[in-house]
Amino acid sequence: MGLVRIHGSMPSEALCKLVDLALDKFDLKIENDIISATSDGASIMTKWGRMISCLHIQCMAHAVHLGKL
């Protein structure tokens, strides 16, 4: 689906808009067409996961890696 380069900080509300724009290119809506989303455990991704209507799963490999630090 492509990547969007982010320069500087990104609030989760802006992330929601970027995801919606990316999905619109394929005529998809997160509310109707996406079942789940997987992300790392960064605070923006955790907040974004609470904001979206589908199931949000945090990658356990990222959690294990962060736990070893």
Side-chain angles (χ1 to χ4, degrees), residues 46-68:
T46 302
K47 185 176 179 184
W48 174 74
R50 290 192 303 265
M51 295 173 67
I52 60 176
S53 58
C54 65
L55 176 66
H56 176 247
I57 301 168
Q58 290 183 353
C59 175
M60 292 319 238
H62 283 92
V64 169
H65 173 73
L66 292 173
K68 287 186 164 190

Side-chain angles (χ1 to χ4, degrees), residues 1 9 23 31 43 46:
M1 292 185 61
S9 64
L23 291 173
E31 300 85 14
S43 60
T46 302

Side-chain angles (χ1 to χ4, degrees), residues 8-62:
S9 64
M10 168 67 66
S12 55
E13 294 80 11
L15 176 61
C16 281
K17 290 178 186 175
L18 283 177
V19 171
D20 288 341
L21 287 173
L23 291 173
D24 279 342
K25 293 178 185 176
F26 299 93
D27 197 29
L28 297 171
K29 300 287 180 204
I30 200 161
E31 300 85 14
N32 302 326
D33 301 312
I34 307 300
I35 296 169
S36 67
T38 304
S39 72
D40 63 6
S43 60
I44 182 178
M45 300 309 288
T46 302
K47 185 176 179 184
W48 174 74
R50 290 192 303 265
M51 295 173 67
I52 60 176
S53 58
C54 65
L55 176 66
H56 176 247
I57 301 168
Q58 290 183 353
C59 175
M60 292 319 238
H62 283 92

